[in-house]
Amino acid sequence: MAKDYEPKEIEAKWQKEWEKNGIYHAEDNSAKPKYYTLVEFPYPSGDGLHVGHVRSYTALDVVSRKKRMEGMNVLYPIGWDAFGLPTENYAIKTGRPPAEITKENTDNFRRQMQALGLSFDWSREINTTDPKYYKWTQWLFLKFFENGLAYKARIPINWCPKDKIGLANEEVVDGKCERCGTPVEQREKEQWMLAITKYAERLLNDLDTVDYPERVKTQQRNWIGKSEGALIKFDDLEVFTTRPDTIYGATFLAVSGKEDKFTGKYVTNPATKAQIPVWEADYVLADYGTGAIMGVPADDERDNAFALKHNLPIIEGYTKAGFTDFGTKVTKFKLRDWVFSRQRYWGEPIPVIHCKKCGVVPVPEKDLPVVLPEVKNYQPTDTGESPLANIYEWVNTTCPKCGGEAKRETDTMPNWAGSSWYFLRYTDDKNDTEFASKEKMKYWMSVDWYNGGMEHTVLHLLYSRFWNKFLYDLKLVPTSEPYQKRTSHGLILAEGGVKMSKSLGNVVNPDEIVGSFGADTLRLYEMFMGPFEQAIAWNESSLAGPRRFLEKMWRLQEKLPLMKSSDARERGQTSLDEVSPSASLLHNTIKKVSEDIETLGFNTAVSNMMILVNDLEKREKISQAEYETLLKLLAPFAPHMTEELWHELGHSESIHTTEWPKYDENKLVPDTAMIVVQVNGKMRASFLAPFKSSEAEVVEKAQTLPEVAKWLVDKQVVKTVYIAGKLVNFVLA
Ligand code: ANZ
Ligand code: ZN
């Protein structure tokens, strides 16, 4: 009898062993083909790891492990996206330095991740709040500045009066602050901007070159919002239209306004020469096109509603104009330049100095990083400046150009900054002289598979693609797109399908699940719970299924032929050909699991292994070759248990460095069913039969199986029960 399955002992033991042997370290100078798997690095909040993180990280862990077994040099790194508001707000509340809070949180996250057996290369861990890291975020900002893509503008910004923070458009949801729900006000402020609009066309076109879900591409296209149309002058008022051909039907003009109102003014329609009224209308946006439209009630729904409401003429059946008759062709984008400064403490200081004589002067490279100074109070000033503005010794400095009196910029970068280039840093995380060496980036980039949340499919993806393209133009990175393939996992909801939240007390803590079921069960459950891209509710009772499956797998050892472990090597070479009667089921399983891992079918990969185990379980004996193959297939999902069983078989190397099983095309039996054969209701054998087989064929095959035939010798079969695709039962007299 083998000992019981005790995940607690096994898991900690192997985690230590793997770390000691460094089997998950990515090699920089390897002759092997590389594979770069990336998951969005977490914001290390005080709440610890979420089971949603576990879903994403386990999925790409499965992929990474399989790729390693397929002979690839895999880079699967992790780090911390640690600047941001929750830590800062906590610092304001408690007076504790954000760096100290961050350290505590990252220590907790790291411990939790390690307990899950994720195969990250921990030697490359990065932290966006580490001055060694943000030195390069600042350096990259200065590249934008030198190239005219970072500039200051006085613009109306979204202002959250509660957080005292300027918000990017994308941080405003339904007119409210995304973080705290306070209605957002407009305020004029000098802000740093990044000219992402210069890249609008390429960010759009190059979507055709990458493997993203169509839904993600559509969202990005809509966000960029390209429209081809014309600018047409109505006297001194210019409109933007995508339908210049409708100009003969234009009966009014409308400019952006808070409420609908006639301005008292008329302009000439250049096509009809008619005098048409100019209105203010609230459906006209101030910052799109020219902020003015021509109203064509016969062809545009909103114009039609407006005309009916205000009794304006509607001309039906007018002649359509040719495109170039009036106005000039233009292309407009909905995308706006990126507001890139915040008046907060916990962010990268923007590395410029303001000199009365020289103007805005970049901090010289040798003086980077501009380190965040210690402050006593993390609250922004009442005028809305960053708390850095209160630190006299820090703000007052000398101009790097003329040596005269000067002041430091006190704005910091938004929390999108560090994540806009982190995938580059992983390739060369300890480099002190460059953000990453060209040679290493050339080997590792681009990312082969990037998984992350649906909520990041627009902003983070667009921002990081923009940074990468800009650096590509400067010949600082090797590929114009950072990510070859992008996928997204569905949310994990609380039991009952509501969002997990602290206030509802329904948050599942992965530590507890690992404690009671083991990491392998948690991993397997999250892969098995449902289609990867779909949202799904947590269900505590469903954890029992994966756990039972692992126990079955554990007990299968007892069906192996008894041998001394010194014979194991020899046994390990048993050819799969000798394996009957399930050879085809085994080969089918290898094929299914291999393919499913590549196509997000983690749940079906697991269910296929379950079917195989159920089949093996029914047999008296299984071969070592079969068992080892199954262990290897399961290894990416349940890395600890499979490692333990692998060593039980007498192997000394890790299962995770062995070769991924291959299937034999000739052994695949498509459309087969597993037929159980009983004699007097007792199972005696099973075999695979093509679905197409007739009853006679199946029964004949069943009675000739040696395990069955021996029970039938000299006996009379009084009845044969046949259930198509499932069972034959010989009832004896
Ligand atoms: C006349 C017309 C006739 C229009 C017609 C459409 C249909 P997209 O595709 O989103 O770019 N428009 C232009 N500027 C606007 C603004 N600042 N606020 C609100 N609407 C604005 O849409 C372009 C169309 O949206 C333009 O073409 C204009 O209406 C309107 F049968 O001009 B159209
Ligand atoms: Zn100066």
Side-chain angles (χ1 to χ4, degrees):
M1 258 308 263
K3 58 182 197 265
D4 283 346
Y5 172 45
E6 297 285 1
K8 256 207 187 80
E9 289 165 26
I10 296 174
E11 292 179 354
K13 177 178 82 183
W14 288 115
Q15 284 157 17
K16 274 198 208 102
E17 192 70 14
W18 296 332
E19 190 51 36
K20 196 177 91 199
N21 297 330
I23 63 170
Y24 307 130
H25 284 193
E27 285 172 60
D28 281 325
N29 298 306
S30 167
K32 291 181 187 173
K34 68 94 186 181
Y35 200 88
Y36 187 174
T37 25
L38 183 67
V39 285
E40 284 172 355
F41 60 162
Y43 175 73
S45 76
D47 301 337
L49 207 64
H50 189 277
V51 287
H53 291 126
V54 179
R55 194 178 194 187
S56 168
Y57 303 163
T58 304
L60 259 62
D61 192 50
V62 168
V63 173
S64 301
R65 288 174 179 281
K66 173 174 180 262
K67 298 285 178 192
R68 282 192 205 98
M69 291 172 81
E70 287 176 335
M72 293 187 170
N73 180 26
V74 172
L75 173 57
Y76 187 35
I78 194 69
W80 319 109
D81 189 13
F83 277 128
L85 273 185
T87 304
E88 178 157 1
N89 288 337
Y90 192 66
I92 292 171
K93 218 165 74 185
T94 59
R96 293 179 54 200
E100 194 182 296
I101 301 165
T102 298
K103 164 93 173 58
E104 238 169 61
N105 292 347
T106 53
D107 284 349
N108 187 42
F109 265 69
R110 188 185 308 102
R111 177 191 61 74
Q112 291 187 294
M113 288 177 176
Q114 288 174 345
L116 287 166
L118 297 165
S119 65
F120 292 130
D121 180 349
W122 285 101
S123 71
R124 294 175 189 249
E125 180 182 336
I126 58 173
N127 184 332
T128 55
T129 66
D130 181 345
K132 288 197 181 114
Y133 182 92
Y134 70 68
K135 167 183 177 173
W136 296 110
T137 311
Q138 292 174 333
W139 187 89
L140 292 168
F141 174 86
L142 291 178
K143 288 287 155 233
F144 283 103
F145 180 73
E146 284 162 20
N147 287 278
L149 268 73
Y151 63 95
K152 262 200 147 171
R154 203 172 167 79
I155 51 154
I157 60 152
N158 307 302
W159 177 260
C160 172
K162 177 154 179 291
D163 288 336
K164 289 192 176 145
I165 189 175
L167 302 172
N169 284 341
E170 41 281 23
E171 292 169 309
V172 180
V173 178
D174 296 334
K176 292 180 188 135
C177 171
E178 179 195 51
R179 299 185 165 87
C180 71
T182 307
V184 166
E185 299 167 1
Q186 297 291 308
R187 261 207 197 181
E188 283 249 321
K189 247 190 161 331
E190 280 261 295
Q191 293 286 338
W192 283 98
M193 309 286 291
L194 286 193
I196 190 172
T197 51
K198 290 233 161 71
Y199 282 77
E201 189 83 53
R202 280 165 63 195
L203 287 168
L204 183 70
N205 292 342
D206 290 355
L207 283 172
D208 295 339
T209 68
V210 289
D211 176 13
Y212 293 4
E214 213 36 57
R215 164 182 48 77
V216 173
K217 289 191 182 185
T218 304
Q219 276 177 299
Q220 292 220 1
R221 285 186 189 118
N222 291 345
W223 191 265
I224 295 167
K226 179 178 177 174
S227 283
E228 278 167 350
L231 293 174
I232 304 179
K233 279 217 163 94
F234 289 65
D235 300 337
D236 59 335
L237 273 177
E238 195 168 42
V239 304
F240 170 63
T241 176
T242 45
R243 294 287 310 277
D245 60 314
T246 64
I247 190 166
Y248 286 97
T251 58
F252 66 94
L253 230 81
V255 295
S256 173
K258 278 213 159 62
E259 55 193 74
D260 300 351
K261 184 168 87 193
F262 177 47
T263 62
K265 183 176 162 167
Y266 289 84
V267 290
T268 317
N269 179 329
T272 61
K273 308 290 181 219
Q275 292 292 299
I276 59 172
V278 180
W279 281 68
E280 281 185 14
D282 78 341
Y283 72 93
V284 179
L285 306 170
D287 64 349
Y288 184 61
T290 62
I293 62 142
M294 63 177 194
V296 185
D299 276 288
D300 182 277
E301 250 173 61
R302 287 177 312 174
D303 297 348
N304 187 269
F306 192 84
L308 289 175
K309 194 163 158 205
H310 300 293
N311 222 1
L312 297 164
I314 300 172
I315 313 174
E316 306 278 2
Y318 61 88
T319 321
K320 296 280 194 289
F323 187 92
T324 48
D325 292 2
F326 303 94
T328 47
K329 265 195 186 188
V330 283
T331 302
K332 294 276 176 193
F333 291 92
K334 296 230 159 58
L335 186 70
R336 291 283 160 271
D337 277 350
W338 177 8
V339 182
F340 198 71
S341 47
R342 301 287 184 274
Q343 290 70 46
R344 301 293 298 227
Y345 174 76
W346 193 226
E348 302 88 346
I350 290 181
V352 301
I353 289 169
H354 299 275
C355 169
K356 280 203 194 84
K357 249 202 280 167
C358 314
V360 179
V361 182
V363 172
E365 187 174 338
K366 67 169 176 44
D367 295 338
L368 295 179
V370 177
V371 177
L372 270 175
E374 280 176 24
V375 297
K376 289 209 181 65
N377 186 354
Y378 301 100
Q379 189 85 41
T381 69
D382 293 339
T383 55
E385 298 308 311
S386 138
L388 298 176
N390 286 335
I391 314 173
Y392 184 85
E393 326 79 73
W394 186 81
V395 173
N396 292 291
T397 184
T398 49
C399 171
K401 241 190 197 161
C402 71
E405 274 179 29
K407 282 191 190 313
R408 286 190 189 280
E409 172 65 63
T410 61
D411 279 3
T412 53
M413 298 185 203
N415 55 338
W416 305 102
S419 60
S420 292
W421 71 281
Y422 77 118
F423 47 90
L424 300 169
R425 186 65 176 170
Y426 281 136
T427 67
D428 193 11
D429 66 301
K430 287 171 195 65
N431 199 328
D432 274 339
T433 56
E434 293 165 289
F435 67 90
S437 89
K438 279 190 192 153
E439 194 197 344
K440 289 184 181 169
M441 285 189 284
K442 192 156 186 237
Y443 177 71
W444 286 113
M445 289 299 288
S446 53
V447 172
D448 293 277
W449 189 338
Y450 188 19
N451 188 70
M454 310 253 182
E455 68 277 19
H456 293 138
T457 50
V458 177
L459 299 173
H460 160 61
L461 275 195
L462 208 58
Y463 292 158
S464 51
R465 290 181 62 221
F466 161 50
W467 278 47
N468 191 84
K469 283 192 183 306
F470 167 67
L471 296 176
Y472 179 71
D473 288 351
L474 298 184
K475 302 200 163 45
L476 293 175
V477 301
T479 61
S480 81
E481 281 290 332
Y483 321 117
Q484 267 319 300
K485 170 177 174 167
R486 165 78 183 190
T487 54
S488 286
H489 53 283
L491 279 181
I492 298 186
L493 304 166
E495 305 225 4
V498 290
K499 209 175 152 150
M500 282 191 190
S501 81
K502 259 210 289 204
S503 58
L504 290 173
N506 59 9
V507 177
V508 178
N509 182 349
D511 288 348
E512 280 168 26
I513 311 296
V514 170
S516 45
F517 290 87
D520 282 344
T521 297
L522 174 57
R523 295 170 57 109
L524 205 63
Y525 168 66
E526 292 216 16
M527 292 300 91
F528 184 56
M529 66 197 309
F532 187 66
E533 290 176 291
Q534 283 174 24
I536 189 147
W538 186 265
N539 185 347
E540 190 87 31
S541 60
S542 298
L543 277 155
R547 173 63 194 248
R548 255 199 317 275
F549 166 66
L550 290 179
E551 280 167 3
K552 274 188 201 176
M553 190 68 201
W554 185 264
R555 283 196 307 268
L556 277 182
Q557 297 173 75
E558 291 159 19
K559 293 185 188 286
L560 288 169
L562 266 186
M563 272 188 211
K564 285 185 283 158
S565 65
S566 57
D567 297 332
R569 198 159 303 274
E570 213 172 302
R571 277 186 296 143
Q573 285 164 359
T574 324
S575 142
L576 286 182
D577 300 347
E578 298 164 25
V579 177
S580 63
S582 299
S584 43
L585 179 61
L586 186 70
H587 284 274
N588 273 317
T589 310
I590 299 173
K591 182 169 193 283
K592 273 299 282 177
V593 173
S594 305
E595 288 170 359
D596 287 355
I597 290 174
E598 300 294 328
T599 54
L600 298 181
F602 303 106
N603 56 329
T604 50
V606 174
S607 61
N608 275 288
M609 289 187 277
M610 287 176 168
I611 291 171
L612 178 61
V613 167
N614 285 343
D615 176 56
L616 296 178
E617 212 191 10
K618 288 187 199 116
R619 295 190 2 221
E620 249 165 69
K621 278 207 168 51
I622 59 174
S623 79
Q624 174 132 357
E626 272 175 310
Y627 193 52
E628 293 195 343
T629 302
L630 180 53
L631 282 180
K632 287 181 180 183
L633 293 178
L634 185 60
F637 296 84
H640 309 89
M641 193 197 79
T642 50
E643 184 79 306
E644 177 74 14
L645 290 171
W646 184 250
H647 282 75
E648 285 283 309
L649 291 173
H651 297 284
S652 53
E653 84 280 31
S654 168
I655 190 170
H656 304 296
T657 57
T658 62
E659 234 181 85
W660 185 251
K662 291 192 182 66
Y663 59 87
D664 181 346
E665 200 69 55
N666 298 319
K667 297 246 160 36
L668 297 175
V669 182
D671 305 316
T672 53
M674 178 59 60
I675 309 288
V676 167
V677 190
Q678 299 177 333
V679 180
N680 278 345
K682 253 200 185 152
M683 173 168 161
R684 297 298 178 191
S686 64
F687 69 98
L688 279 174
F691 270 131
K692 301 191 289 264
S693 322
S694 67
E695 175 173 349
E697 283 165 345
V698 173
V699 170
E700 186 184 342
K701 168 88 184 164
Q703 64 197 3
T704 54
L705 294 172
E707 308 93 306
V708 177
K710 67 179 179 198
W711 297 100
L712 303 183
V713 180
D714 298 335
K715 298 272 162 54
Q716 197 196 336
V717 176
V718 291
K719 195 174 155 196
T720 303
V721 181
Y722 172 74
I723 303 175
K726 285 214 168 90
L727 175 118
V728 180
N729 182 15
F730 297 107
V731 183
L732 306 181

